Every structure is written in structure tokens, then in C-alpha cells.
């Protein structure tokens, strides 16, 4: 066993709790969509444009933050980015125009983008290469996603969008937790001059790019369902707003179990085998969400959640092991850029729903997990990098493993 009591690892616990506070704001954007539609009469396309705003700028700057954390350790980014994400979402509900709403939500996206590469680097150091410990770190983010719908419902359903500044409270708590995590971790993973310590090993870009393609496919399914499942379940089940909020909550909550289970299953069966099996299950589960009517739709939402979240932390560690010399870049892509890439596809889903129906717009999602599984076929389990550290400026040209 490579992990030693992840729950007793103070930096991992603090990073996980801080991760929860940050990812509340990723989940909150989708949870606000029904209220934008109800209070501001946004079309499906306009509402999904809000999700695009959170994803587009985030996707553009995420590699930059990843490259920066590959060279320098930037622990101060964790509390600052948490406050930025909270401020953006809080302002998004009170802005008086659509462009200002998009701008505020985009600021929140930048905060999220700045947080994840440095947090994943710090968590990898604290986890000492353990899959289960990284699963606990990822669990925090999934819990944050799950708490977003009831939090938004509690605040906005009672006070309207004008009450959205109250949504900044988790950011203040998260900033304090992140600062405590930074102090607890000390100088781990840094050289005396503040640079990021770099492991030895060989960067396998070909395998990493295929993994990225699979994560993008996952992102399209996850973001599209996050944006529209609440509205869709209201239509299909006839249960009103409560049924829609419950579906979104289940979509996020299932990830809390799935992420921890993914780490444990990977230690027994191997990461790639677990990831491939998860995508096979997801194909059937997404088909159930789109095609099965009535209350049973909630069961399929849970299955989709499990299928999408079991691979979540495994994507991170696989990416880091495929690019052992560029852990920040790998984290920025697998945990940030590729995860937010689904937001770029959300307006297309919304436009198709406006032109046809929401059910028709969600049908193509069934194919994406199948494509993800195909991309992962033939990949080999990467070897964990050796413990020796080298200067971050050194980048020897070495052949791909097995070449």
C-alpha cells in the first residue's frame, strides 16, 4: 500500500476542505441557470452562455497557471484564487445586464483556473504518490460541487438573485483553509529559492494527449448534464423545481463516493482498467437519463455520476505520471482545462435545444463516453517517477518509454 492514512494527513485534509470551498463555485454556475431562466427570461442558449463564460477564459489561462507552477511554487495563489472565484459568482447574480453577468462569471472562472494546478501539485507532494490520498483531495472538490445546488437553492430561492452576495461566504472559509494548508505543508515540494522541485522521468506526450481527449469527452457530458439536467428532470418527471434540484444534487453527490472508490479500485485493479470500465458504464447510464421517463431518471443520474467520477482522480495521477517533469501542466489540463472544456460545448447544446427539444439536444451525449473509452484503448499504465529531483530548468531530450 502506498497510502498511509489519507484522512490523518493534515495537508491533504486541509487541501480537500479548501478544494470543496472552491468547487462550490464551479457547481454554483450550473445551479444558477434555472434562476437566470426564471428571473431574467434567458433562453437555453443564453443560459448556457453563462456556463461558457465560466469555462472559456478559464480554459485559456489554465495552461499558463500550470506552466507557472511547473517553474515556481505559488502557494499564495490558493487563498487568492478562492476569494476571486467567490467574488465572481456573488457579483454574477446582482449585475444588471447580460454582458456584466458574463464578465463576473468569467472572473470566477479565472479564480478556479488559478487554484487547481497549484493545489494539485501541493496535493501530489502531500499524498506522496498515493492514489487514495489524491482521491481524498478530489473528493473535496466533488463535495463542493454537490453542495452547490442546495446552497444556491437556500440563498436564491428565498431571496432571489439579489441575495447572491451571500454565496461568497464559502470563499472566505476556503481562503482560511487554504492558508492553513500552505502553512502546514511548509516548503515541501520546493527548492530553497522557491522553485518547484521536479521529479526525474520521461514526459510521454502521446499518451497524455490521448488521456486529455478522454477527459474532454467526460467534460462535455458532465457540463452539459450539469447545465440542463435540472430543467430536463422537471420536464420528464413532472416533479417541479424540487425534483430538478434533487437531480443536480445527485449528479454531484455521487461523485463523493465515486472519487474515493476510484482510488481504492485503482490500487487493486490498476488505473486504466478502472477508467475504461467506468466509461462503459457511463454510456448506458447517459442513455437511461435521456431515454427513460418518470422517477427512474434519478437512478440513472446516480449511475452517470458514479461513471463520470470514479475516473476523476485517476485522470489527475495518470496525467502527472505521463508528464512527471511537468506536473503543473498535467494538473492544469486534467483537473482544469480539459474539465472546463465541456463549457465550450454547452452553447451548442443550448442552441440545439432551442431549435428542437432538450431531449434531442442531450441525445448526442451518449456517444462521448464511448469515444473516451476508445481513446484509452492500448494505453499502458505509466511508471511512477523516481524520487530524485532535478532543476526545473533542465529538460533533457529523452525517448518515449518503450520506444
Amino acid at each position: 500500500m502506498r497510502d498511509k492514512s489519507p484522512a490523518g494527513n493534515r495537508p491533504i485534509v486541509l487541501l480537500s476542505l479548501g478544494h470543496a470551498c472552491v468547487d462550490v463555485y464551479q457547481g454554483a454556475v450550473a445551479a444558477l441557470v434555472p434562476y437566470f431562466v426564471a428571473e431574467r427570461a434567458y433562453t437555453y442558449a443564453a443560459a448556457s452562455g453563462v456556463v461558457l463564460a465560466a469555462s472559456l477564459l478559464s480554459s485559456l489561462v489554465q495552461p499558463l497557471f500550470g506552466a507557472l507552477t511547473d517553474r515556481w511554487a505559488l502557494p499564495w495563489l490558493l487563498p487568492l484564487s478562492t476569494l476571486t472565484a467567490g467574488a465572481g459568482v456573488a457579483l454574477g447574480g446582482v449585475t444588471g445586464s447580460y454582458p456584466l453577468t458574463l464578465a463576473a462569471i468569467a472572473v470566477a472562472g479565472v479564480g478556479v483556473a488559478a487554484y487547481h494546478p497549484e493545489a494539485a501539485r501541493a496535493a501530489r507532494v502531500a499524498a506522496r504518490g498515493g492514489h487514495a490520498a489524491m482521491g481524498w483531495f478530489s473528493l473535496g472538490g466533488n463535495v463542493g460541487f454537490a453542495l452547490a445546488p442546495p446552497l444556491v437553492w437556500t440563498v436564491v430561492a428565498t431571496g432571489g438573485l439579489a441575495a447572491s452576495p451571500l454565496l461568497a461566504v464559502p470563499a472566505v472559509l476556503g481562503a482560511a483553509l487554504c492558508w492553513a494548508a500552505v502553512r502546514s505543508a511548509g516548503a515541501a515540494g520546493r527548492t530553497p529559492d522557491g522553485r518547484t522541485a521536479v521529479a526525474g522521468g520521461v514526459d510521454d506526450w502521446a499518451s497524455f494527449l490521448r488521456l486529455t481527449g478522454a477527459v474532454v469527452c467526460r467534460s462535455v457530458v458532465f457540463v452539459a448534464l450539469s447545465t440542463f439536467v435540472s430543467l430536463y428532470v422537471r420536464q420528464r418527471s413532472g416533479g417541479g423545481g424540487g425534483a430538478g434540484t434533487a437531480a443536480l444534487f445527485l449528479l454531484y453527490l455521487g461523485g463523493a463516493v465515486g472519487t474515493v472508490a476510484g482510488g481504492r479500485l485503482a490500487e487493486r485493479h490498476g488505473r486504466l482498467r478502472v477508467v475504461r470500465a467506468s466509461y462503459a458504464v457511463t454510456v448506458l447510464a447517459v442513455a437511461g437519463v435521456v431515454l427513460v421517463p418518470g422517477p427512474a431518471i434519478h437512478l440513472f443520474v446516480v449511475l452517470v455520476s458514479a461513471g463520470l467520477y470514479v475516473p476523476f482522480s485517476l485522470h489527475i495521477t495518470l496525467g502527472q505520471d505521463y508528464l512527471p517533469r511537468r506536473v503543473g501542466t498535467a494538473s492544469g489540463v486534467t483537473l482544469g482545462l480539459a474539465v472546463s472544456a465541456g463549457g465550450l460545448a454547452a452553447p451548442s447544446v443550448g442552441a440545439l435545444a432551442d431549435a428542437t427539444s432538450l431531449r434531442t439536444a442531450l441525445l448526442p451525449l451518449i456517444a462521448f463516453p464511448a469515444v473516451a473509452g476508445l481513446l484509452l484503448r492500448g494505453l499502458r499504465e505509466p511508471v511512477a517517477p523516481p524520487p530524485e529531483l532535478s532543476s526545473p530548468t533542465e529538460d533533457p531530450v529523452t525517448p518515449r518509454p518503450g520506444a
Side-chain angles (χ1 to χ4, degrees), residues 66-176:
L68 288 174
T69 58
D70 279 336
R71 185 164 292 271
W72 295 285
L74 304 173
W76 52 267
L77 258 183
L78 300 184
L80 178 61
S81 59
T82 303
L83 292 172
T84 302
V89 168
L91 291 173
V94 296
T95 51
S97 70
Y98 186 67
L100 288 177
T101 298
L102 297 182
I105 296 300
V107 168
V110 172
V112 171
Y115 172 85
H116 282 101
E118 175 64 18
R121 183 202 65 81
R124 178 183 174 90
V125 172
R128 297 182 293 275
H131 303 322
M134 285 298 291
W136 281 99
F137 166 70
S138 299
L139 169 66
N142 299 334
V143 170
F145 264 109
L147 291 177
L151 175 64
V152 169
W153 180 82
T154 300
V155 172
V156 180
T158 54
L161 288 171
S164 62
L166 293 174
L167 296 175
V169 172
V172 177
L173 175 61

Side-chain angles (χ1 to χ4, degrees), residues 346-392:
S348 299
V349 178
L352 181 59
D354 285 330
T356 56
S357 69
L358 192 50
R359 183 185 185 188
T360 299
L362 296 178
L363 273 172
L365 299 181
I366 299 172
F368 282 91
V371 173
L374 290 174
L375 285 169
L376 295 174
R377 291 192 65 181
L379 285 186
R380 290 179 292 177
E381 188 80 18
V383 178
E388 292 81 7
L389 299 177
S390 59
S391 167

Side-chain angles (χ1 to χ4, degrees), residues 17 40 45 93 102 118 159 171 184 195 204 224 243 329 345-346:
L17 292 172
R40 299 182 182 177
L102 297 182
E118 175 64 18
S184 179
R195 289 174 175 260
D204 183 357
T329 298

Side-chain angles (χ1 to χ4, degrees), residues 167-249:
L167 296 175
V169 172
V172 177
L173 175 61
L177 288 165
C178 289
W179 181 248
V182 168
R183 290 176 62 86
S184 179
R190 285 179 273 169
T191 61
D193 62 355
R195 289 174 175 260
T196 299
V198 179
V202 179
D203 290 335
D204 183 357
W205 282 99
S207 296
F208 180 75
L209 290 175
R210 288 172 63 182
L211 174 70
T212 299
V215 179
V216 168
C217 290
R218 176 207 179 270
S219 177
V220 171
V221 176
F222 180 75
V223 175
L225 288 180
S226 297
T227 305
F228 295 113
V229 74
S230 181
L231 293 168
Y232 186 65
V233 168
R234 291 185 191 189
Q235 295 176 6
R236 297 283 285 175
S237 70
T245 298
L248 188 58
F249 177 69

Side-chain angles (χ1 to χ4, degrees), residues 294-310:
I297 193 172
H298 288 91
L299 173 61
F300 286 104
V301 169
V302 171
L303 291 176
V304 167
S305 181
L308 292 176
Y309 271 115
V310 163

